[in-house]
Each structure stands twice: as C-alpha cells, then as structure tokens.
Amino acid sequence: MKFLNGLFNKKRDTVQNTSSKSNPQETAQNMQQSTEVLLAMAERFLNEGHEGRAFQMYKSIAAGSNPTAQYNLGSLYAQGKGTEQSFLEGAYWFRQAEKSGDEQAGKMVKKCELDYIRQYLTTDTPKALYERMKNFVAYVYPDELADLLIKRELTVLGMHHFNQKNYAGAAKLLRASVEFCNDGQAQNFLGVLYNAGAGVSQNDLVALYWLDRAVDNGYKDARKDREGILNAYRTSLSATEFQEYFERLSSWCETGTADIAALPQKAKYWKDISMPERRNL
C-alpha cells in the first residue's frame, strides 16, 4: 500500500507473518522482522494523519540503513510532511536509500536537487548559486569528487532550464558554471544566449567572448558560431570600427563586466586581433 500521493510514493516491504516458524539463532532475520513491524507502524501513523509521529519513526529506522525508511524519510522532507520542508534533507535521505540499493531513489535525488536550486533561481546571483551547489554536493555526495560534480550539476541544471525555455534561469546557472568551473559546454550555450538575446541582453561581443572560451576548452561545436560572429564583424565593419570594437572587448577582459569574467590573457588576445595587420588572422 502506498502511503503518500505523488512522485514520492514508496511501498514498504510486506510485513512477514510473525506467527510462522523462525530459528532463534538467525539474528538477522529477527531484526528484519522487527524493522518490518516498525515500518508498518509508521505507515499506520501516516494513514491516521499522525505525520509527525511517522516522521520520527522513519528517522529512527533510517539510521539503521533501511532503504524503505530512508526513501520515505526523504519523501517526508521533500513534501514537508511531519517536518519542515527541506529539499536538501530530502536529497540526502534519497541518496542514502540509493546507496542502500534503491535505484528509484537516485531519480528522486535529482528531483530534490532541481527543486532545491529552483527556490533560489530568481533571487540568487551566479556566485550564490555556485555556493549553494557546492554546499549541496558536500552534503549529499561527500564521497565524490566535488569540483567535477559541481561543474557537471550546474551545467546539467542550466541545460534543463535552457531546454524548458527558462532562459534567464539557464543564464544564471550557466554563468555560475563558466565562471567558477570553466565548463566548455556551459560557455558555448551562454554564448548562444547572448547571441540570441534570450534571458540576457543581446550582445554579440559578449557572445563571441564565451564562444571563444568554449573553443579554448575543446568544445568543438562552438567553433562554427565563433567564426561566424567574428567574420560578420570583419565583413560589416570598417577597419577603424573593427579596431574600436575589439579594443572594447579587450578592455572588458582586462577589468571584467557584469556579463564576462576578467581574464587578462584574453585581453591581450583581443587587443592583438584589433590591430589592422592582424584583423584577418
């Protein structure tokens, strides 16, 4: 029997018949039977509307690495049933259930992560979002390589919002990934957003900057767009105008702006390109 509505449902295992014969020497089996009784009691509390008591019981059982209790505890945290809602705690307990062998729980970790970040997406800066993801990874995945996971998750969430056409949210997450994790895919799609003016103010020079960074990081799909923008400037601007534009981009790289991160080595690169004798290089 399922005890909650929605995506977080989890069946408890069937309670064993305590009247059947058992071997007193099989301690593990007896402990399992005791756990099943406690799970049945927690489920009954939920059915009777005593969510707080169910929460406390699942919490005590979950400490013993029972995947059903861990999953259901994550469910209660995620829905705010019997406790204050916390997607971070929900993700933690779903992760414990996944480590205990519940494959479905892995999907719920990702859902909690999405909901956790979504709470702050409109108010946080890219730096704040990076710090939140850093804390999330440290809490939920303490045994994994943090830097690689932070970069991956920021980019994955950014692409999720990109595909959902929430371009402003995507831009923040991708900016967090490009600035603090130097991710090539994120740099490419941030360049695409600036080129289109989707979720950010349209700016081809900024788009060129991020696409160029993506190429530097080996993201091959960015090269065509990078060359397309650069060639458009070459063909549509006079030599003087071209120099002015790329000296401007060089100065942005020197100091940084709201749209690009300071990167002195790129300041020299764009300064060199701005020179008339290097315009077509």
Side-chain angles (χ1 to χ4, degrees):
M1 181 175 65
K2 294 181 177 181
F3 71 78
L4 289 176
N5 294 324
L7 291 174
F8 297 101
N9 293 347
K10 182 65 178 178
K11 289 182 179 180
R12 65 177 175 82
D13 297 331
T14 304
V15 179
Q16 298 179 19
N17 186 345
T18 56
S19 64
S20 63
K21 283 189 175 183
S22 60
N23 186 341
Q25 296 180 352
E26 295 179 350
T27 305
Q29 181 180 354
N30 291 338
M31 291 178 62
Q32 176 66 21
Q33 289 177 338
S34 297
T35 298
E36 292 299 336
V37 170
L38 293 175
L39 287 171
M41 291 175 63
E43 186 174 301
R44 188 186 70 192
F45 286 144
L46 279 172
N47 291 335
E48 293 175 352
H50 303 302
E51 295 170 346
R53 296 179 70 180
F55 169 80
Q56 292 299 331
M57 184 158 286
Y58 280 127
K59 193 171 184 180
S60 66
I61 306 168
S65 300
N66 179 271
T68 299
Q70 291 168 334
Y71 188 105
N72 289 342
L73 187 59
S75 173
L76 292 174
Y77 269 119
Q79 297 182 89
K81 302 287 187 179
T83 187
E84 184 177 352
Q85 187 178 52
S86 172
F87 295 118
L88 181 61
E89 291 292 340
Y92 174 84
W93 285 108
F94 281 127
R95 174 61 176 159
Q96 300 312 302
E98 181 184 19
K99 290 166 67 176
S100 295
D102 190 323
E103 294 182 3
Q104 183 184 0
K107 297 178 181 178
M108 304 317 301
V109 176
K110 297 302 182 185
K111 186 178 189 311
C112 282
E113 179 183 339
L114 179 64
D115 290 336
Y116 173 70
I117 294 297
R118 200 199 314 266
Q119 295 176 109
Y120 308 104
L121 198 51
T122 59
T123 56
D124 271 2
T125 63
K127 182 178 180 180
L129 289 171
Y130 167 76
E131 293 296 337
R132 287 194 192 279
M133 183 59 74
K134 183 178 178 180
N135 292 336
F136 181 93
V137 166
Y139 188 59
V140 179
Y141 299 99
D143 300 326
E144 299 197 23
L145 294 174
D147 290 344
L148 291 176
L149 192 54
I150 293 166
K151 176 168 69 172
R152 186 190 75 189
E153 295 305 300
L154 283 172
T155 299
V156 166
L157 288 183
M159 292 308 302
H160 168 81
H161 286 282
F162 184 96
N163 293 329
Q164 294 294 314
K165 299 184 179 180
N166 175 14
Y167 297 125
K172 279 190 175 184
L173 288 162
L174 294 172
R175 176 66 188 268
S177 184
V178 301
E179 187 163 353
F180 302 104
C181 304
N182 196 31
D183 183 70
Q185 182 184 17
Q187 289 163 340
N188 175 71
F189 280 93
L190 189 59
V192 169
L193 290 176
Y194 274 105
N195 189 36
V200 291
S201 297
Q202 198 279 335
N203 190 316
D204 286 336
L205 274 180
V206 174
L208 180 60
Y209 170 87
W210 288 117
L211 290 167
D212 179 70
R213 291 282 303 276
V215 171
D216 287 346
N217 274 319
Y219 196 80
K220 297 179 180 179
D221 290 349
R223 185 174 296 278
K224 182 177 179 180
D225 288 338
R226 175 196 182 278
E227 294 306 311
I229 294 174
L230 188 54
N231 287 332
Y233 276 116
R234 286 172 176 147
T235 58
S236 64
L237 299 178
S238 68
T240 300
E241 290 171 329
F242 184 90
Q243 184 171 0
E244 289 175 353
Y245 268 81
F246 284 88
E247 284 182 346
R248 186 184 310 163
L249 179 55
S250 175
S251 69
W252 291 348
C253 294
E254 197 67 62
T255 60
T257 72
D259 299 304
I260 68 174
L263 198 64
Q265 58 267 42
K266 278 297 178 184
K268 182 180 185 308
Y269 174 76
W270 293 116
K271 177 71 172 179
D272 288 345
I273 284 182
S274 74
M275 303 307 291
E277 66 272 16
R278 295 181 60 85
R279 175 179 175 179
N280 293 317
L281 294 181

